[in-house]
Amino acid sequence: MSDWMFDVLLFAQEGANGAGAGNGNAQPSPWFTFMPLIVLFMLFYFLVMGPGRREQKRRKEMLSALKKNDRVLTQGGIIGTVANISSDGQKVTVKVDDNVRLPVLRSYIVTILTDDQSAEGEAKTS
């Protein structure tokens, strides 16, 4: 356990014992007992769950903005152009080459590529 955490726990224990100095069997306050757990939960929330929610929101907005003729990258690493979006919006037909069209679930699209990213990806494969 780190020194600062030990100091906080020691301070909390002394505060609880000092409050009940007249009482020989004073119990520490429940607030002081659960304080480290509350602090850890708050850290976990702000460091893990918060950014995850922001990423989910960004991804949902990106997928809802998907339209025909967008260059996309699928989760399988396929780069293509959106040729068609189904009526229910769940499936997307990705045109990879002149006569090659692949049906892909919308949720398997990782990102919409910009012109700079498309040119970079094609340069690496050539």
Side-chain angles (χ1 to χ4, degrees), residues 37-76:
L37 290 175
I38 293 169
V39 169
L40 285 175
F41 177 76
M42 288 174 29
L43 279 173
F44 177 77
Y45 179 80
F46 287 114
L47 295 177
V48 177
M49 295 174 70
R53 284 187 178 171
R54 282 192 299 271
E55 177 62 25
Q56 273 184 333
K57 183 179 178 184
R58 186 201 62 80
R59 180 167 166 72
K60 185 178 179 182
E61 289 172 355
M62 185 261 310
L63 288 177
S64 66
L66 188 66
K67 60 188 181 304
K68 191 173 179 178
N69 295 326
D70 281 345
R71 297 273 299 168
V72 295
L73 172 67
T74 65
Q75 203 167 8

Side-chain angles (χ1 to χ4, degrees), residues 52 84 92 106 116:
N84 189 21
V92 174
R106 185 180 220 136
D116 297 336

Side-chain angles (χ1 to χ4, degrees), residues 74-112:
T74 65
Q75 203 167 8
I78 297 171
I79 297 175
T81 305
V82 175
N84 189 21
I85 299 175
S86 68
S87 60
D88 65 352
Q90 296 299 314
K91 290 184 184 177
V92 174
T93 303
V94 177
K95 180 180 174 184
V96 180
D97 201 14
D98 290 334
N99 295 323
V100 180
R101 295 173 187 260
L102 302 172
V104 177
L105 291 176
R106 185 180 220 136
S107 60
Y108 278 77
I109 293 178
V110 175
T111 188
I112 298 174

Side-chain angles (χ1 to χ4, degrees), residues 1-9:
M1 194 175 336
S2 65
D3 291 336
W4 68 269
M5 192 171 209
F6 180 74
D7 291 340
V8 168
L9 291 173

Side-chain angles (χ1 to χ4, degrees), residues 71 113-126:
R71 297 273 299 168
L113 299 174
T114 62
D115 292 334
D116 297 336
Q117 293 170 326
S118 296
E120 182 180 312
E122 290 172 3
K124 287 182 182 178
T125 58
S126 299

